[in-house]
Amino acid sequence: MATFQAATASNRPEIDADQIDELNKVISHFDFSGAHESLTVLAHEDEASDGKAVLELHGYAHFQPQKIKESYIDREPDLEDESTYEFLESIAPFLEEKLVIQTIGREKCRFPFLASVYAVWPDGHIEHTTLDSNPERQTSRANEAD
């Protein structure tokens, strides 16, 4: 049986140091588990960066946060459908610089590979780009000469 393997990493954007606890509370409402591993998503003061507050996001899982909701039947945590944009929109106000998240993955090195980039600006603007596994044919110069 083939197993999907992924890795996710981000830059370490600076965040408002006074809002570390509040940002971690927002993060705690989402689950970052993958098939076999989960992502580390944490706001903290980084001693390697002279004590600046940063957002750290990395691990061996696909970046696909899911919002945790409480089930009304048994009061156990349950996951909603994919909530990637909701997560990104909720952390944008805490950013002091652009956040870039990159994910790459594969299943037994079979085509297609997964590659994805999310960019989030402090003003809430979000861009998402993926590796196109089914590109459209473009007219080349050699074809134009015919």
Side-chain angles (χ1 to χ4, degrees):
M1 182 168 94
T3 302
F4 179 75
Q5 296 178 327
T8 298
S10 75
N11 63 337
R12 294 162 46 98
E14 193 171 334
I15 59 171
D16 183 349
D18 296 331
Q19 294 186 324
I20 291 175
D21 292 336
E22 186 65 28
L23 178 52
N24 281 323
K25 186 184 293 185
V26 170
I27 292 168
S28 72
H29 292 129
F30 292 85
D31 180 67
F32 301 92
S33 298
H36 304 286
E37 302 274 344
S38 62
L39 298 178
T40 297
V41 183
L42 178 66
H44 63 95
E45 285 187 20
D46 184 25
E47 293 178 19
S49 300
D50 298 328
K52 292 180 182 176
V54 296
L55 175 62
E56 198 169 319
L57 194 153
H58 60 84
Y60 294 102
H62 182 228
F63 177 69
Q64 194 171 16
Q66 293 183 308
K67 187 166 186 181
I68 299 172
K69 66 178 182 179
E70 189 174 317
S71 170
Y72 293 103
I73 298 171
D74 53 10
R75 298 291 183 203
E76 292 293 321
D78 193 11
L79 299 177
E80 292 182 0
D81 292 333
E82 183 181 341
S83 307
T84 302
Y85 280 92
E86 184 178 348
F87 170 71
L88 296 174
E89 289 168 352
S90 66
I91 65 169
F94 297 94
L95 300 173
E96 293 194 353
E97 58 186 341
K98 178 175 60 173
L99 166 66
V100 178
I101 303 165
Q102 298 178 345
T103 297
I104 188 160
R106 63 178 171 70
E107 187 172 320
K108 283 196 165 183
C109 287
R110 294 181 182 145
F111 183 80
F113 282 90
L114 162 83
S116 176
V117 176
Y118 287 92
V120 184
W121 281 263
D123 67 0
H125 180 75
I126 299 170
E127 290 185 13
H128 178 226
T129 306
T130 62
L131 180 67
D132 189 355
S133 64
N134 189 21
E136 295 293 321
R137 183 176 179 164
Q138 303 295 319
T139 305
S140 68
R141 291 179 171 226
N143 291 341
E144 291 176 359
D146 293 337

